[in-house]
């Protein structure tokens, strides 16, 4: 996403954040996807608040699946355009 937008976390920084404070990634990833939609002039289907599906109960399966489906579906929708 950083290569596409020139903004956000890149590979190494994203990896460091994921390793050190992985719960933050649940908020950062959908936030960056939402910003991509806004830049394209579309309504963002996900925002940083989508991370609440995972936090603080990231060990629960159903909320984690909902988060993944929402985030991945939004990203796929953006690229398919």
């Amino acid at each position: 996403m950083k290569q596409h937008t020139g903004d956000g976390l890149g590979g190494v920084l994203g990896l460091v954040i994921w390793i050190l404070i992985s719960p933050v990634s649940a908020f950062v990833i959908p936030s960056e996807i939402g910003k991509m939609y806004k830049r394209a002039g579309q309504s963002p289907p996900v925002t940083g608040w989508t991370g609440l599906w995972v936090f603080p109960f990231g060990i629960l399966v159903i909320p984690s699946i909902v988060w993944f489906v929402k985030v991945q579906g939004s990203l796929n929708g953006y690229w398919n355009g």
Side-chain angles (χ1 to χ4, degrees), residues 25-52:
S25 296
F27 296 94
V28 171
I29 293 169
S31 175
E32 289 187 10
I33 294 171
K35 288 177 186 176
M36 285 186 354
Y37 270 89
K38 285 181 184 176
R39 280 191 211 101
Q42 301 174 14
S43 177
V46 292
T47 64
W49 292 104
T50 306
L52 292 175

Side-chain angles (χ1 to χ4, degrees), residues 12-68:
V12 174
L13 182 58
L15 179 63
V16 169
I17 287 176
W18 181 75
I19 290 172
L20 296 178
I21 47 176
S22 61
V24 171
S25 296
F27 296 94
V28 171
I29 293 169
S31 175
E32 289 187 10
I33 294 171
K35 288 177 186 176
M36 285 186 354
Y37 270 89
K38 285 181 184 176
R39 280 191 211 101
Q42 301 174 14
S43 177
V46 292
T47 64
W49 292 104
T50 306
L52 292 175
W53 278 101
V54 177
F55 186 78
F57 304 109
I59 58 171
L60 297 177
V61 174
I62 300 300
S64 297
I65 290 172
V66 170
W67 179 89
F68 179 79

